[in-house]
């Protein structure tokens, strides 16, 4: 049984260790790490001391306090405690002397460093040995032996095996062994098995003694599908084969130190990963034969410390021995290569190494190929640094077509570019290199697409919390549960912003009290802040939802689309801006395989744009559009009467929240023109706002100056309107503000329609649109219904969001 740093890090956990060990019914060997965090502290304090900085003393005192407090809290007063305290104090005072020494001479050799870190396990092991009943302490420095190769201390397996067998010829009920530490087989000086090495100590002992099982007790429920610190939805894997576990550990799944697997695998001893904080949990079992399960892959792991070195040149093609020389040169210099990718054209070989090895690797390779470089056959070798490597692992991948397709398709749709990739013919691992800044996103999208296929996640950033935005958030809140259970879709609102505040939370914002959270925890908001946060969060499957009327916010779309973020806009500004801009946005979306949707720009929730798209995509041609597209204006012309003068109707439209925040946008025809322009463009015509002919009903000079002045002036139009209205009434006609597109020409005008006209009966704030097409010629297609209002607009935005989820 191996207990890691967190298992012996706190009073509760160490008492749990005692209980777990004491309830074992057969003899156990217990291997312990240093108290959680102590190894880091020892290393840090020694570096501080070696730099001549006396503040190492504070670190040292922390180390002393942690251990002394632990002894006083977990060991009852008495002889045993006194004896333990003597031992602990002696070790701590040795440690103090060593620190003082390096502080004085300002030098820290690897040898001294190894001695210092060994105190962590030496201290923890004697504390646990005293705590656990009948435990016998063993000194692992006597039987875990290393030798030096390429400046590294490597386990001497044979010698260690023999010594372990000799040492444990007779087993006590509980043997207590410090993990990690070792000694050099020749000099006897203290060494260790590398960071995280206690797992390896335990494995080596288990293998030498043919243990029934190796239990690794840690602080998570087992081996998980991905690093739980990065992927909150990662879950415990019940069973893994040795090969799978090896592939995952080697690629950074920190839960097991990579060399741990081999010794026990060789002896077919199962490894169980268990949680000290949840001893009842089943944990993970790693063994030879496992149930493969139904998922294509078992786990994902990654290392973000990656440099890619590429040896390339036309002179390499067909030449035998280039790879031999690459790997020989690297090996001779002790550089470990963890990934290799070579194109079948043979003109480039890419090698993944750790960042710290990159400079030396380049130097060595430039030297090895200096002649070829001089002749121009091979390019000078350089390293691309700060990358990350991700591996997906699972034996089920063997002979299953489509896994690589799914993997790379998912990455591509999320704008993640793969720099290099490798899959061995064993087909249990596909590895690829991405920029380090895309690592989190890569892990998330892959985890989502391979493991969470029960439900899909769409991450939403909602800008604007006014009438439409507020209503949308409410609708999402009401639907979230149902979409999750019935549609397998999780709508995760990860950002909400209004003009003042912005709130971001990659875990998802609770929509019941978002207004309070926005006020209390939100950061000051601006379009730039929004942009930077959203791009910076680099979250997968994300959608920016614009429920503002802001030109600045609309100005963000291009960059967001470029970052593979879909855009759903209730805001009409972008789609009606200069044609070139509209086109660029559409093309960017296409290029990045994301969506730019704005159905609610025209007719609120009515399916107008989608209908036009469907007609065009199926080969129809739009010949003419006639429409009443302004809910506000229709409301005004329906409302106007002998009792309600023109100016009053504008106030009413605003109170009913039909009008734009500034009603002049509606009265000047601007809103209708924007809508007509959008429809024309979707119908395949290149139309600009300036091209639209206008016949307005409010004099132009009413639109200049401040809004207040407008409100003051507008009643002056009432008398004239009333006179015209009476005439119109006597003729049995009504006013409709009609937008028209014919032969590619756009116009808007106040039109008088008689009772036979299809627009005559259009009530309230409704919209109507007549589409005359090649197929719908004699009887145009008609779409009619609510053309304004927060809830129908929000519903239309929601529908756009849903159509992205359906891709
Ligand atoms: P110990 O001190 O017990 O050796 P470690 O910190 O070395 O613990 O390893 C356990 C940690 O490994 C977990 O707390 C978890 O954050 C991390 N980890 C990374 N990848 C995985 C994974 N795939 N499954 C489980 N844990 C993982
Ligand atoms: N204490 C050592 C470390 O932190 C060994 C271990 O925990 O396994 O690396
Ligand atoms: Mg560990």
């Amino acid at each position: 049984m191996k207990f890691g740093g967190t298992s012996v890090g706190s009073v509760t956990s160490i008492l749990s260790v005692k209980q777990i060990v004491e309830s074992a019914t057969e003899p156990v060997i217990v291997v312990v790490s240093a108290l959680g965090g102590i190894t880091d502290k020892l290393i840090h304090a020694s570096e501080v001391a070696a730099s001549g900085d006396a503040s190492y003393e504070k670190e040292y005192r922390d180390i002393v306090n942690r251990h002394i407090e632990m002894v006083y809290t977990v060991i009852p007063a008495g002889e045993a405690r006194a004896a333990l305290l003597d031992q602990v104090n002696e070790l701590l005072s040795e440690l103090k002397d060593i620190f003082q020494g390096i502080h004085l001479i300002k030098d820290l050799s690897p040898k001294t460093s190894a001695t210092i870190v060994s105190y962590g396990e030496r201290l923890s092991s004697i504390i646990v040995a005293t705590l656990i009943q009948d435990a016998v302490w063993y000194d692992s420095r006597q039987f875990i032996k290393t030798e030096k190769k390429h400046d590294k201390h490597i386990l001497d397996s044979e010698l260690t095996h023999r010594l372990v067998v000799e040492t444990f010829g007779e087993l006590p009920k509980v043997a207590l062994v410090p993990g990690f530490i070792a000694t050099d087989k020749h000099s006897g000086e203290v060494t260790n098995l590398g960071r995280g090495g206690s797992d390896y100590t335990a494995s080596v002992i288990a293998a030498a003694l043919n243990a029934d099982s190796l239990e690794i007790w840690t602080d998570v429920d087992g081996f998980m599908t991905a690093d739980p610190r990065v992927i909150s939805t990662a879950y415990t894997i019940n069973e893994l084969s040795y090969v799978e576990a090896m592939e995952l550990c080697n690629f950074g799944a920190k839960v097991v130190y990579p060399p741990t697997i081999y010794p026990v695998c060789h002896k077919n001893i199962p490894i169980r990963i268990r949680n000290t904080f949840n001893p009842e949990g089943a944990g993970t079992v790693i063994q030879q034969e496992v149930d493969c399960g139904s998922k294509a892959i078992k786990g994902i792991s990654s290392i973000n410390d990656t440099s890619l070195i590429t040896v390339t040149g036309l002179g390499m093609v067909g030449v035998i021995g280039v790879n031999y020389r690459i790997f020989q040169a690297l090996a001779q210099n002790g550089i470990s290569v963890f990934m290799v990718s070579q194109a079948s054209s043979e003109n480039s070989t890419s090698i993944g190494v750790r960042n710290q090895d990159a400079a030396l690797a380049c130097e060595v390779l430039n030297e090895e190929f200096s002649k070829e470089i001089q002749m121009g056959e091979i390019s000078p070798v350089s390293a691309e640094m700060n990358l990350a490597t991700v591996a997906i692992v699972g034996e089920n991948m063997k002979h299953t077509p489509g896994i690589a397709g799914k993997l790379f398709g998912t990455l591509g749709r999320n704008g993640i570019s793969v720099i290099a990739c490798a899959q061995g013919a064993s087909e249990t691992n596909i590895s690829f290199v991405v920029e380090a800044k895309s690592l989190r996103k890569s892990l998330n999208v892959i985890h989502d697409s391979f493991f969470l296929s029960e439900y899909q996640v769409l991450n939403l950033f909602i800008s604007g919390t006014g009438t439409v935005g507020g209503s949308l958030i409410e609708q999402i809140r009401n639907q979230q549960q149902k979409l999750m259970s019935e549609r397998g879709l999780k709508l995760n609102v990860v950002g909400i912003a209004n003009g003042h505040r912005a709130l971001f939370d990659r875990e998802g914002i609770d929509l019941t009290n978002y207004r309070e959270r926005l006020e209390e925890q939100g950061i000051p908001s601006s379009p730039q802040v929004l942009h930077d946060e959203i791009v910076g969060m680099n979250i997968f499957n994300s959608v920016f939802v614009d429920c503002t009327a802001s030109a600045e916010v609309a100005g963000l779309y291009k960059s967001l689309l470029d970052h593979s973020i879909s855009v759903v806009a209730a805001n009409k500004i972008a789609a009606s801006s200069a044609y070139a801009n509209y086109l660029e946005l559409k093309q960017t979306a296409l290029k990045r395989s994301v969506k730019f949707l704005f159905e609610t720009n025209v007719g609120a929730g009515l399916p107008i744009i989608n209908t036009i798209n469907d007609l065009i995509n199926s080969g129809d041609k739009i010949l003419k559009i006639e429409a009443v597209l302004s809910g506000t204006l229709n409301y005004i012309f329906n409302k106007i009467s002998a009792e309600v003068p023109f100016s009053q109707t504008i106030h009413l439209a605003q109170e009913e929240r039909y009008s734009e925040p500034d009603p002049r946008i509606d009265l000047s025809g601007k809103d209708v023109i924007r809508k007509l322009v959008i429809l024309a463009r979707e119908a395949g015509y290149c139309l600009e706002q300036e091209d639209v002919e206008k016949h307005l009903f409010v004099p132009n000079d009413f639109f200049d100056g401040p809004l207040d002045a407008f409100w003051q002036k507008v009643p002056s139009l009432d008398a004239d309107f009333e006179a015209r209205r009476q005439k119109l009434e006597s003729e049995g006609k009504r006013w409709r503000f009609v937008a028209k597109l014919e032969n590619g020409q756009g116009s808007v005008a106040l039109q008088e329609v008689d009772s036979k006209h299809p627009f005559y009966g259009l009530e309230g704030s409704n919209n109507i649109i007549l589409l005359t097409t090649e197929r719908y010629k004699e009887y145009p297609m008609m779409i009619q219904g609510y053309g304004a209002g927060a809830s129908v607009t929000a519903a239309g935005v929601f529908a756009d969001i849903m159509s992205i989820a359906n891709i």
Side-chain angles (χ1 to χ4, degrees):
M1 289 177 166
K2 177 263 174 176
F3 292 90
T6 47
S7 301
V8 293
S10 69
V11 173
T12 349
S13 64
I14 213 167
L15 293 175
S16 178
V17 170
K18 177 178 164 73
Q19 208 163 36
I20 292 164
V21 174
E22 287 177 0
S23 56
T25 49
E26 284 174 275
V28 284
I29 295 180
V30 175
V31 176
V32 293
S33 293
L35 305 195
I38 289 293
T39 309
D40 287 336
K41 259 193 183 316
L42 287 165
I43 294 172
H44 185 239
S46 48
E47 284 165 355
V48 172
S51 72
D53 181 347
S55 68
Y56 79 86
E57 286 175 9
K58 184 186 168 299
E59 294 274 304
Y60 169 74
R61 273 198 306 280
D62 285 349
I63 296 170
V64 172
N65 292 343
R66 275 282 298 280
H67 290 94
I68 300 292
E69 258 175 44
M70 184 65 92
V71 173
Y72 275 102
T73 353
V74 300
I75 312 285
E79 259 176 56
R81 189 207 267 177
L84 173 62
L85 276 175
D86 281 349
Q87 276 181 296
V88 167
N89 280 323
E90 189 175 327
L91 288 174
L92 288 170
S93 100
E94 282 172 28
L95 186 59
K96 184 179 187 176
D97 292 344
I98 304 176
F99 277 139
Q100 264 167 358
I102 51 179
H103 181 237
L104 280 176
I105 58 171
K106 295 196 183 62
D107 182 52
L108 179 63
S109 68
K111 188 170 141 185
T112 316
S113 193
T115 305
I116 291 176
V117 288
S118 75
Y119 282 85
E121 268 71 9
R122 291 169 68 190
L123 285 160
S124 67
S125 61
I126 56 176
I127 298 175
V128 182
T130 313
L131 176 71
I132 293 175
Q133 247 172 25
D134 306 323
V136 181
W137 185 82
Y138 288 77
D139 186 352
S140 41
R141 290 170 299 174
Q142 305 298 325
F143 51 84
I144 305 288
K145 293 287 178 184
T146 61
E147 60 185 321
K148 211 165 175 181
K149 280 189 186 154
H150 290 308
D151 251 13
K152 294 189 175 106
H153 298 288
I154 309 291
L155 183 82
D156 181 333
S157 309
E158 257 181 60
L159 176 59
T160 302
H161 182 278
R162 187 160 52 75
L163 293 174
V164 170
V165 172
E166 276 171 21
T167 311
F168 296 97
E170 221 164 287
L171 276 180
K173 187 166 177 299
V174 179
L176 208 298
V177 177
F180 177 58
I181 59 178
T183 43
D184 183 87
K185 75 174 193 184
H186 300 298
S187 66
E189 68 193 44
V190 178
T191 59
N192 61 56
L193 301 180
R195 292 307 305 271
S198 298
D199 297 342
Y200 193 20
T201 309
S203 166
V204 166
I205 298 176
L209 301 180
N210 289 317
D212 292 334
S213 83
L214 166 63
E215 294 186 354
I216 297 196
W217 290 81
T218 180
D219 62 346
V220 283
D221 273 333
F223 214 117
M224 307 181 84
T225 49
D227 187 339
R229 290 164 301 185
V230 182
I231 310 287
S232 55
T233 47
Y235 55 85
T236 309
I237 307 166
N238 298 332
E239 295 187 359
L240 279 172
S241 71
Y242 291 120
V243 174
E244 289 168 334
M246 183 99 79
E247 302 262 26
L248 288 168
C249 301
N250 261 330
F251 256 83
K254 190 192 170 212
V255 62
V256 178
Y257 183 49
T260 309
I261 311 283
Y262 179 72
V264 278
C265 159
H266 192 58
K267 288 285 184 77
N268 214 351
I269 298 168
I271 307 176
R272 289 171 215 283
I273 317 287
R274 310 280 302 271
N275 190 348
T276 307
F277 300 84
N278 175 25
E280 280 75 43
T284 301
V285 57
I286 302 171
Q287 55 196 4
Q288 200 75 47
E289 298 289 328
V290 296
D291 170 15
C292 286
S294 58
K295 298 265 193 273
I297 66 172
K298 275 290 184 61
I300 310 165
S301 56
S302 64
I303 31 188
N304 76 11
D305 165 22
T306 299
S307 281
L308 204 61
I309 297 190
T310 302
V311 181
T312 177
L314 291 177
M316 282 165 68
V317 179
V319 178
I320 291 178
V322 175
N323 282 332
Y324 169 75
R325 285 169 59 197
I326 294 175
F327 294 113
Q328 189 189 43
L330 295 172
Q332 277 169 352
N333 287 278
I335 297 168
S336 158
V337 171
F338 57 77
M339 195 187 109
V340 184
S341 156
Q342 183 187 11
S344 58
S345 69
E346 297 185 32
N347 85 350
S348 84
T349 299
S350 295
I351 298 151
V353 300
R354 305 236 169 217
N355 282 327
Q356 67 187 50
D357 291 335
L360 180 62
C362 290
E363 194 184 311
V364 162
L365 293 174
N366 278 322
E367 163 107 23
E368 173 67 35
F369 293 103
S370 60
K371 249 208 225 115
E372 287 84 351
I373 292 173
Q374 223 168 28
M375 310 269 293
E377 288 168 0
I378 286 181
S379 312
V381 178
S382 63
E384 204 175 334
M385 306 209 15
N386 300 323
L387 306 173
T389 313
V390 180
I392 63 169
V393 169
E395 304 225 37
N396 273 2
M397 281 168 27
K398 267 182 220 160
H399 315 303
T400 311
I403 310 260
K406 185 170 172 181
L407 171 69
F408 295 120
T410 306
L411 293 168
R413 272 194 306 282
N414 282 281
I416 300 162
S417 155
V418 172
I419 301 171
C421 64
Q423 177 191 322
S426 72
E427 293 187 64
T428 49
N429 175 324
I430 302 177
S431 310
F432 60 92
V433 176
V434 293
E435 284 187 331
K437 68 176 192 319
S438 306
L439 176 58
R440 177 184 276 271
K441 187 172 175 183
S442 306
L443 294 173
N444 270 295
V445 285
I446 302 168
H447 198 268
D448 198 48
S449 90
F450 282 99
F451 292 115
L452 298 179
S453 39
E454 304 92 86
Y455 67 88
Q456 185 196 357
V457 181
L458 210 55
N459 290 301
L460 308 179
F461 293 94
I462 300 176
S463 172
T465 57
T467 48
V468 174
S471 179
L472 173 67
I473 293 174
E474 196 53 26
Q475 288 178 14
I476 293 177
R477 188 176 71 82
N478 288 330
Q479 279 298 100
Q480 260 171 338
Q481 215 48 47
K482 191 163 170 219
L483 287 173
M484 184 95 140
S485 56
E486 291 175 16
R487 271 277 283 101
L489 174 68
K490 182 176 175 193
L491 288 183
N492 205 25
V493 178
V494 289
I496 298 182
N498 57 31
H500 314 287
R501 305 246 138 220
L503 178 70
F504 301 94
D505 183 346
R506 59 169 67 241
E507 298 308 327
I509 298 168
D510 178 359
L511 301 182
T512 44
N513 62 347
Y514 75 94
R515 286 198 192 269
E516 290 82 24
R517 244 191 104 189
L518 191 59
E519 276 313 309
E520 284 158 21
Q521 297 168 21
I523 54 172
S525 174
S526 74
Q528 194 59 44
V529 165
L530 271 186
H531 173 268
D532 295 351
E533 285 286 332
I534 295 171
V535 170
M537 274 166 85
N538 201 11
I539 234 168
F540 70 107
N541 290 357
S542 47
V543 183
F544 178 70
V545 184
D546 183 4
C547 298
T548 72
S550 152
E552 276 178 296
V553 175
L556 304 178
Y557 301 173
K558 166 78 171 73
S559 171
L560 294 175
L561 291 167
D562 246 335
H563 284 91
S564 301
I565 297 164
S566 290
V567 172
V568 170
N571 183 347
K572 306 175 190 81
I573 293 176
S576 61
S577 63
Y579 186 78
N581 187 49
Y582 158 88
L583 202 62
E584 189 184 31
L585 293 175
K586 289 215 121 187
Q587 284 172 346
T588 309
L590 199 63
K591 188 167 93 197
R592 299 290 178 200
S593 303
V594 292
K595 293 275 176 179
F596 171 40
L597 301 177
F598 40 85
E599 175 65 79
T600 53
N601 281 190
V602 183
L606 296 177
I608 300 173
I609 293 179
N610 279 328
T611 305
I612 291 179
N613 289 159
D614 288 344
L615 291 172
I616 303 249
N617 289 339
S618 62
D620 205 349
K621 188 167 187 314
I622 311 284
L623 303 174
K624 184 157 112 183
I625 298 176
E626 284 162 292
V628 173
L629 295 176
S630 169
T632 307
L633 296 185
N634 205 50
Y635 176 84
I636 287 175
F637 292 118
N638 277 331
K639 218 40 195 187
I640 194 165
S641 67
E643 290 75 38
V644 189
F646 176 63
S647 60
Q648 183 63 28
T649 60
I650 307 174
H651 281 288
L652 288 174
Q654 207 180 31
E655 276 161 30
E656 295 285 336
R657 294 177 181 254
Y658 291 134
S659 69
E660 291 287 314
D662 178 348
R664 291 176 298 179
I665 306 239
D666 296 299
L667 296 167
S668 66
K670 185 165 178 61
D671 183 59
V672 175
I673 290 171
R674 290 199 299 212
K675 290 170 176 167
L676 181 64
V677 161
I678 295 171
L679 291 186
R681 289 170 179 181
E682 291 294 300
Y685 299 96
C686 163
L687 193 69
E688 300 283 6
Q689 290 190 35
E690 305 77 67
D691 302 338
V692 177
E693 228 178 273
K694 304 194 264 191
H695 304 281
L696 299 181
F697 51 91
V698 172
N700 255 332
D701 59 346
F702 275 59
F703 300 118
D704 305 328
L707 188 56
D708 281 353
F710 167 78
W711 285 121
Q712 270 170 14
K713 263 201 300 195
V714 81
S716 66
L717 298 172
D718 288 352
D720 178 46
F721 255 100
E722 180 52 19
R724 285 163 60 199
R725 193 198 62 78
Q726 282 178 11
K727 178 168 174 282
L728 195 69
E729 199 174 42
S730 68
E731 290 168 3
K733 291 181 178 169
R734 286 179 182 165
W735 275 316
R736 296 291 174 236
F737 192 71
V738 177
K740 198 186 273 182
L741 179 84
E742 196 165 15
N743 302 322
Q745 283 296 314
S747 65
V748 296
L750 190 61
Q751 205 174 304
E752 297 173 356
V753 297
D754 63 24
S755 63
K756 285 197 223 70
H757 197 282
F759 294 175
Y760 182 83
L762 192 68
E763 288 184 32
S765 67
N766 287 1
N767 279 189
I768 187 165
I769 174 156
L770 293 180
L771 295 172
T772 308
T773 74
E774 273 176 357
R775 286 188 198 131
Y776 292 85
K777 213 167 197 169
E778 227 162 301
Y779 302 100
M781 183 189 276
M782 187 160 88
I783 304 167
Q784 177 179 1
Y786 295 130
S791 74
V792 287
T793 308
V797 172
F798 203 164
D800 272 350
I801 295 172
M802 289 304 295
S803 77
I804 294 176
N806 288 336
I807 309 181

mmCIF file of all heavy atoms in Angstrom, residues 2 196 199 254-255, ligand 3:
data_model
loop_
_atom_site.group_PDB
_atom_site.id
_atom_site.type_symbol
_atom_site.label_atom_id
_atom_site.label_comp_id
_atom_site.label_asym_id
_atom_site.label_seq_id
_atom_site.Cartn_x
_atom_site.Cartn_y
_atom_site.Cartn_z
ATOM 1 N N LYS A 2 0.652 2.087 -0.989
ATOM 2 C CA LYS A 2 1.431 3.327 -1.032
ATOM 3 C C LYS A 2 0.506 4.494 -0.756
ATOM 4 O O LYS A 2 -0.566 4.597 -1.359
ATOM 5 C CB LYS A 2 2.115 3.470 -2.390
ATOM 6 C CG LYS A 2 2.887 4.762 -2.544
ATOM 7 C CD LYS A 2 2.072 5.817 -3.263
ATOM 8 C CE LYS A 2 2.779 7.168 -3.291
ATOM 9 N NZ LYS A 2 2.034 8.164 -4.056
ATOM 10 N N GLY A 196 7.696 12.145 -7.511
ATOM 11 C CA GLY A 196 6.577 11.221 -7.601
ATOM 12 C C GLY A 196 7.014 9.768 -7.425
ATOM 13 O O GLY A 196 6.239 8.826 -7.601
ATOM 14 N N ASP A 199 5.602 5.956 -5.695
ATOM 15 C CA ASP A 199 4.798 4.938 -6.395
ATOM 16 C C ASP A 199 5.723 3.818 -6.893
ATOM 17 O O ASP A 199 5.403 2.634 -6.822
ATOM 18 C CB ASP A 199 4.111 5.541 -7.632
ATOM 19 C CG ASP A 199 3.121 6.641 -7.306
ATOM 20 O OD1 ASP A 199 2.700 6.725 -6.145
ATOM 21 O OD2 ASP A 199 2.778 7.414 -8.224
ATOM 22 N N LYS A 254 -0.701 12.448 -13.784
ATOM 23 C CA LYS A 254 0.201 12.505 -12.645
ATOM 24 C C LYS A 254 -0.160 11.479 -11.576
ATOM 25 O O LYS A 254 0.641 11.208 -10.676
ATOM 26 C CB LYS A 254 0.103 13.921 -12.058
ATOM 27 C CG LYS A 254 1.147 14.223 -11.027
ATOM 28 C CD LYS A 254 0.811 15.509 -10.285
ATOM 29 C CE LYS A 254 1.747 15.652 -9.101
ATOM 30 N NZ LYS A 254 1.104 16.321 -7.996
ATOM 31 N N VAL A 255 -1.337 10.928 -11.670
ATOM 32 C CA VAL A 255 -1.818 10.054 -10.586
ATOM 33 C C VAL A 255 -0.897 8.856 -10.344
ATOM 34 O O VAL A 255 -0.776 8.380 -9.218
ATOM 35 C CB VAL A 255 -3.299 9.669 -10.834
ATOM 36 C CG1 VAL A 255 -3.467 8.900 -12.120
ATOM 37 C CG2 VAL A 255 -3.881 8.938 -9.674
HETATM 38 MG MG1 LIG B 3 2.246 10.964 -6.905
#
